Amino acid sequence: MLIFKPNQKSLFIADSITDCDRRGSAAPLGDGYVSMLRNFLQARYPELHLTIVNRGVGGDTTRELNARWQHDVIDEHPDWLSVGIGINDVWRSFGDNPRSAVPIDEYESTLRGLLDRVLEATGADLIMMEPYMIEPDPSQPMRRQMDLYRARFDAIAADYEAILVPTQAAFDTVLQYTKPEQWADDKIHPNPPGHTVIALAFLKALGAEL
């Protein structure tokens, strides 16, 4: 059964995976999984009159989320809040600016603080989309580190009784039959089929009838 009720607002906040040019030519929802979700939910459940809001910003870590949390989340008073963060917190350790990477303990404490703030201010229900890497080898260095952050993320989701979207498991399933480049050129930023993998994982977690 779908978790959403009539006239509810669901806000998605995260990084570039969610952003998807939502502030540019693909405004206001972007051209990724958020738009796919809106289209499906509107077509499948027109009677609910749901409002979908995208507040993804490319490049964000938990630090950037913290800086814009009041304006982009709390002031919006969502009924449901979807948080997907952690990819850049990890990825920057493997790029040209490792000092901007977020250590795992800071990542956890910041994320918990953000959730505490929004729950106190709005009482929103939570949906949490796992950080992931489209890499089938768990011993690959970045995938291994991503799995550590994902374990913390999953534990936080359980503590806050959030709906968990198992993004990594969704990609691991399709990777049993395909190669990573079928879903993303860089193993992180999905192409349209990759966004569809995420959207389907969301819809299953939301209890939508496919």
Side-chain angles (χ1 to χ4, degrees), residues 25-90:
S25 61
L29 294 180
D31 57 6
Y33 77 90
V34 176
S35 180
M36 292 178 178
L37 286 173
R38 189 282 307 269
N39 293 343
F40 178 89
L41 291 169
Q42 182 173 306
R44 180 65 183 81
Y45 303 98
E47 72 279 7
L48 294 184
H49 304 287
L50 300 173
T51 299
I52 305 296
V53 178
N54 186 341
R55 289 294 180 265
V57 172
D60 269 11
T61 67
T62 46
R63 291 170 182 166
E64 284 77 36
L65 251 60
N66 188 45
R68 62 189 181 91
W69 199 251
Q70 180 68 42
H71 178 268
D72 281 3
V73 178
I74 293 174
D75 290 351
E76 287 282 345
H77 299 285
D79 299 293
W80 288 89
L81 174 65
S82 172
V83 182
I85 199 71
I87 289 175
N88 290 311
D89 300 64
V90 174

Side-chain angles (χ1 to χ4, degrees), residues 125-205:
D125 290 303
L126 300 176
I127 304 166
M128 297 183 67
M129 183 183 88
E130 291 180 334
Y132 65 83
M133 185 177 182
I134 308 174
E135 164 59 57
D137 180 5
S139 68
Q140 194 268 0
M142 184 173 163
R143 168 66 196 262
R144 184 170 62 244
Q145 187 163 333
M146 194 74 77
D147 285 347
L148 295 175
Y149 280 63
R150 179 171 54 83
R152 294 283 186 100
F153 186 91
D154 289 0
I156 294 169
D159 287 347
Y160 284 81
E161 298 182 342
I163 302 294
L164 180 68
V165 181
T167 325
Q168 186 65 65
F171 279 114
D172 287 346
T173 296
V174 299
L175 287 172
Q176 295 177 36
Y177 313 100
T178 60
K179 295 185 180 300
E181 54 266 27
Q182 182 167 333
W183 312 104
D185 291 339
D186 59 4
K187 301 186 178 183
I188 296 293
H189 296 92
N191 56 22
H195 276 285
T196 306
V197 171
I198 295 174
L200 285 171
F202 255 98
L203 289 169
K204 292 177 183 177

